[in-house]
Amino acid sequence: MQRRKFLQMSSLGASGWIINPTFNLRNKTVTKPLVITTWETGIAANEAAWRILSADGRALDAVEKGVMVTEDSINCCVGLGANPDRDGIVTLDASIMDEYGNGGAVAGLERIKHPISVARKVMENTPHVLLVGAGAQEFAVQQGFPLEPQKLSEDAEAEYKKWLKTSQYNPVINVENGRAKAGGESAFAPMKLSNGAWNHDTIGMLAIDVKGNLSGSCTTSGMAFKVRGRVGDSPCIGAGLYVDNEIGAAVSTGLGEEVIKTAGTFLTVEFMRQGYPPEAACKAAVERVIKRNSVDKAKTIQVAYIALNKNGQTGAYAIQKGFNYAVYSNDRKNELVSSKTAF
Ligand code: SD4
């Protein structure tokens, strides 16, 4: 018994970590604070997050306040200014996780400006993780969030009218390089909005604070012109967002259905637990998506992950070209980086 216990302890290490020759987070210097965010819209969001992190604030506050900037921006496809579902209604999804592994989320939320803050209230003020639809809105109002008018932004209205001309169920998502062609439910084509922005409907942010604690957030309007009631990966803990304060955190963007089916961000964090650096972990999770599709099909899909480990190391990987992300630390002053890709 004693011998078995000793053997178990020595394979796990004194603190319970699985020992892997390529992975020993404890002996490395930690880059902190740091924030990493999906897409070029991450630049403005990082500024807000960095103000909190550089003043020794908590990562959780940084990832909430950071993505609120994007939710506020009427020129972005996140928040109430975003594209509606195919019935013409904007429905928002968001999730947040803290350093204790707590999570909160909302899905199909209407007429509320900051779904990320409602997600945080779900996490902190209820015993639940996910509230949806009318119930999520009722909860938000009870928590003091104002109900905004049911009105599309100018850009969204223009895009919706354009879409209504054909009303083709051909949801468009995140394929920026123009190689993929529209045509059928599973094809995804690039789309530029009338304001010149690309159709990123999501922002995902991960941060490590001066104490070395990790948190993450994700907020989205989901897929443009989606079926009413469709929920993507972003509010699903373990799909769109996952944080394990012992190991690392990951957040996704792209075609949510593929991310959900592979538990993408949980998988990415588990790869980091096995010793993969963040970029390799993201790559392995992307490869899992490709593996369950034909290569031709995978070429029409975009899925991208960013990851941050406990040492403040970052990485990303995407199926398609065109995905980028922004990193802000003491050394990397809001650097915009192009992700490596499978194709
Ligand atoms: C979704 N993952 O709802 C989101 C969409 C997205 O940039 O990332 N858009 O499937």
Side-chain angles (χ1 to χ4, degrees):
M1 153 68 196
Q2 285 305 334
R3 185 178 141 76
R4 186 164 352 125
K5 201 163 184 194
F6 170 75
L7 286 174
Q8 268 172 2
M9 280 190 59
S10 55
S11 69
L12 285 174
S15 65
W17 292 63
I18 293 170
I19 292 173
N20 178 323
T22 60
F23 184 61
N24 192 343
L25 283 171
R26 289 165 300 168
N27 293 340
K28 291 190 177 146
T29 47
V30 181
T31 302
K32 58 183 183 179
L34 179 143
V35 56
I36 174 170
T37 305
T38 56
W39 303 114
E40 65 273 15
T41 43
I43 297 272
N46 276 358
E47 293 284 349
W50 185 252
R51 278 195 288 281
I52 292 167
L53 293 170
S54 58
D56 297 353
R58 187 176 169 198
L60 182 68
D61 295 324
V63 298
E64 181 193 4
K65 296 289 180 298
V67 302
M68 281 171 75
V69 170
T70 328
E71 289 180 338
D72 259 330
S73 157
I74 205 73
N75 287 327
C76 182
C77 321
V78 170
L80 291 175
N83 283 324
D85 64 17
R86 68 177 180 178
D87 291 6
I89 296 168
V90 176
T91 64
L92 304 174
D93 301 339
S95 64
I96 194 160
M97 283 189 82
D98 70 10
E99 68 271 34
Y100 305 109
N102 294 314
V106 286
L109 183 63
E110 294 173 20
R111 298 177 57 191
I112 300 286
K113 201 171 195 177
H114 290 299
I116 197 63
S117 302
V118 185
R120 182 167 176 177
K121 295 281 188 206
V122 172
M123 176 173 80
E124 293 181 337
N125 296 351
T126 81
H128 310 302
V129 172
L130 174 61
L131 296 184
V132 305
Q137 190 190 68
E138 207 175 291
F139 169 76
V141 170
Q142 277 164 9
Q143 295 287 312
F145 292 86
L147 212 47
E148 307 291 336
Q150 180 90 272
K151 195 179 175 311
L152 294 182
S153 69
E154 253 173 57
D155 284 339
E157 177 126 37
E159 293 305 327
Y160 183 54
K161 281 190 178 145
K162 227 189 284 168
W163 178 79
L164 277 177
K165 283 186 192 148
T166 55
S167 300
Q168 218 188 350
Y169 194 64
N170 179 22
V172 177
I173 219 157
N174 295 160
V175 178
E176 276 79 10
N177 64 357
R179 282 188 300 160
K181 291 275 179 293
E185 196 163 327
S186 59
F188 297 86
M191 181 174 78
K192 224 169 190 182
L193 302 174
S194 40
N195 66 7
W198 285 110
N199 61 320
H200 317 146
D201 315 294
T202 304
I203 185 159
M205 177 179 276
L206 308 169
I208 182 166
D209 60 27
V210 282
K211 289 188 178 153
N213 283 326
L214 301 170
S215 290
S217 62
C218 189
T219 180
T220 187
S221 58
M223 193 184 264
F225 320 127
K226 61 196 174 187
V227 165
R228 183 139 179 83
R230 180 263 184 191
V231 172
D233 56 323
S234 307
C236 301
I237 300 295
L241 173 70
Y242 198 68
V243 176
D244 181 332
N245 202 40
E246 272 196 345
I247 304 294
V251 69
S252 70
T253 186
L255 181 55
E257 281 73 2
E258 291 297 326
V259 177
I260 293 172
K261 284 185 264 192
T262 50
T265 55
F266 181 75
L267 185 63
T268 304
V269 171
E270 290 306 298
F271 281 128
M272 290 196 280
R273 192 187 308 279
Q274 288 171 29
Y276 289 51
E279 184 186 301
C282 293
K283 182 169 188 263
V286 160
E287 281 166 358
R288 188 69 63 89
V289 173
I290 296 170
K291 197 173 158 210
R292 59 168 303 284
N293 288 282
S294 67
V295 170
D296 282 351
K297 168 93 188 291
K299 283 182 176 168
T300 69
I301 295 169
Q302 177 64 304
V303 167
Y305 296 106
I306 59 171
L308 167 66
N309 73 11
K310 192 68 179 163
N311 284 331
Q313 294 166 325
T314 59
Y317 208 80
I319 299 182
Q320 308 274 350
K321 288 192 176 57
F323 173 60
N324 53 18
Y325 59 98
V327 183
Y328 206 141
S329 68
N330 285 315
D331 299 330
R332 302 169 75 182
K333 300 280 182 208
N334 228 353
E335 221 175 80
L336 190 64
V337 186
S338 278
S339 174
K340 290 192 186 154
T341 60
F343 298 117

